[in-house]
């Protein structure tokens, strides 16, 4: 959903009135939490309780969900013990990505095909859950710290454009290349 707000100025020195200030009208997108209700495709509304996730939504996966059609942009991403997520991003014409601006929690299954990546784009973020997550490619492009709270394996590369990565006592295995 998108909510629209109009800003008014208040005259505190005379009669009480509000004056609309149209030059300051803003649109602020509000995220929702979308929960899978059945196995299915990411872009099928029947897979979700309140429709297909929109950019910036929080997502909870409780079933088997697959994305085969392109990039997705989400805030918090949770894969519960009963769920699994496959990002079949493909490599033609451009590799596809899962953009995450919040935390990533994996309690079950997360998989990616060759050429797809996960891009962490928030401020302070977490990779957590009860299952070691296996990523294809990870890109750090965030303004804070990405903290591991579970083991992670990155098959085909870790790229750090900005931000910091803290593994703490958790195991981080990077195959292929680390930029």
């Amino acid at each position: 959903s998108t909510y629209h707000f109009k800003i008014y100025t208040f005259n505190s020195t005379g009669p009480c009135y509000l004056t609309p200030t149209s030059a300051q009208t803003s649109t602020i997108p509000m995220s929702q939490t979308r929960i899978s209700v059945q196995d299915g495709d990411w872009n099928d509304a029947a897979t979700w309780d309140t429709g297909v996730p929109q950019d910036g939504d929080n997502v909870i996966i409780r079933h088997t969900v697959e994305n085969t059609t392109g990039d997705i942009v989400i805030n918090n991403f949770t894969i519960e013990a009963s769920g699994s997520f496959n990002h079949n991003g493909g490599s033609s014409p451009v590799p596809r990505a899962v953009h995450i601006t919040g935390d990533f929690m994996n309690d079950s299954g997360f998989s990616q095909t060759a050429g797809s990546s996960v891009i962490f784009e928030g401020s302070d973020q977490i990779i957590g859950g009860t299952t070691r997550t296996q990523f294809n490619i990870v890109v750090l492009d965030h303004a804070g710290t990405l903290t591991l709270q579970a083991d992670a394996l990155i098959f085909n590369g870790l790229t750090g454009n900005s931000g910091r990565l803290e593994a703490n006592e958790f195991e981080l295995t990077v195959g292929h290349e680390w930029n």
Side-chain angles (χ1 to χ4, degrees):
S1 296
T2 300
Y3 298 93
H4 301 272
F5 299 91
K6 188 165 256 190
I7 310 298
Y8 290 86
T9 57
F10 175 71
N11 181 0
S12 62
T13 60
C16 184
Y17 62 90
L18 298 174
T19 305
T21 310
S22 61
Q24 296 178 358
T25 299
S26 301
T27 300
I28 302 171
M30 305 299 281
S31 65
Q32 293 187 19
T33 297
R34 312 285 180 151
I35 302 170
S36 69
V37 294
Q38 66 179 26
D39 294 351
D41 187 81
W42 180 275
N43 291 300
D44 182 353
T47 304
W48 306 100
D49 62 341
T50 57
V52 176
Q54 302 299 305
D55 288 359
D57 281 348
N58 299 310
V59 172
I60 299 173
I61 294 183
R62 295 181 174 161
H63 301 82
T64 300
V65 176
E66 182 171 26
N67 177 41
T68 60
T69 56
D71 286 11
I72 56 175
V73 179
I74 49 184
N75 187 35
N76 293 316
F77 190 29
T78 302
I79 303 166
E80 293 186 347
S82 59
S84 65
F85 177 74
N86 178 33
H87 186 248
N88 185 359
S91 57
S92 179
V94 228
R96 302 297 184 190
V98 176
H99 301 259
I100 300 175
T101 60
D103 295 335
F104 177 89
M105 306 303 273
N106 182 16
D107 291 331
S108 182
F110 175 83
S111 63
Q112 298 175 275
T113 57
S116 64
S117 60
V118 174
I119 303 173
F120 288 93
E121 299 176 321
S123 52
D124 291 331
Q125 296 175 271
I126 294 170
I127 295 176
T130 58
T131 301
R132 177 174 121 168
T133 300
Q134 298 182 14
F135 296 101
N136 181 45
I137 297 170
V138 170
V139 177
L140 305 180
D141 198 8
H142 60 110
T145 301
L146 178 62
T147 304
L148 290 184
Q149 292 185 352
D151 295 342
L153 170 63
I154 304 169
F155 287 110
N156 288 314
L158 171 63
T159 300
N161 294 335
S162 63
R164 179 180 148 167
L165 174 66
E166 286 187 4
N168 298 317
E169 71 273 8
F170 296 98
E171 181 179 303
L172 173 63
T173 305
V174 180
H176 195 56
E177 57 185 63
W178 182 315
N179 296 319

